[in-house]
Amino acid sequence: MAGEALDCLVSIQTRLGRDESELLELLRRILNIQEREFGRESEEVLVTLKKIVYYLDKLGKKDEKLTLQRRLSVLSKKYKQTINY
């Protein structure tokens, strides 16, 4: 459920012809809002981080990607642990 609205937004922006860098900037804005509203370790933040890492990879921005990928990895592990218990 957390990612459905985000997937719709990405789909709409892509259909409107937005390039990946514009979409990436929009995803970063969404991430900031989600962190404030839901906390830095919420499921919504996890889903948005996945999208951001995907577009950073697609744009070849490896330096930025590595930092967020580490954060995503830590958050994914933490989230999986809470689900298992």
Side-chain angles (χ1 to χ4, degrees), residues 2-29:
E4 291 175 19
L6 195 57
D7 288 339
C8 288
L9 177 66
V10 169
S11 177
I12 290 168
Q13 293 297 315
T14 302
R15 287 183 187 167
L16 290 174
R18 304 286 165 92
D19 67 18
E20 277 100 13
S21 60
E22 285 180 279
L23 188 52
L24 185 59
E25 200 54 43
L26 183 59
L27 288 170
R28 285 182 175 146
R29 287 180 55 207

Side-chain angles (χ1 to χ4, degrees), residues 28-67:
R28 285 182 175 146
R29 287 180 55 207
I30 291 169
L31 180 65
N32 285 333
I33 292 167
Q34 289 174 333
E35 288 174 334
R36 278 194 316 262
E37 296 298 319
F38 304 116
R40 291 183 50 85
E41 297 181 353
S42 68
E43 182 182 2
E44 292 83 2
V45 168
L46 178 75
V47 171
T48 304
L49 277 173
K50 285 180 186 177
K51 296 274 185 210
I52 291 173
V53 167
Y54 170 79
Y55 282 104
L56 285 171
D57 185 51
K58 201 170 177 184
L59 290 169
K61 296 184 176 191
K62 293 181 180 165
D63 293 339
E64 292 176 57
K65 177 186 154 194
L66 287 176
T67 305

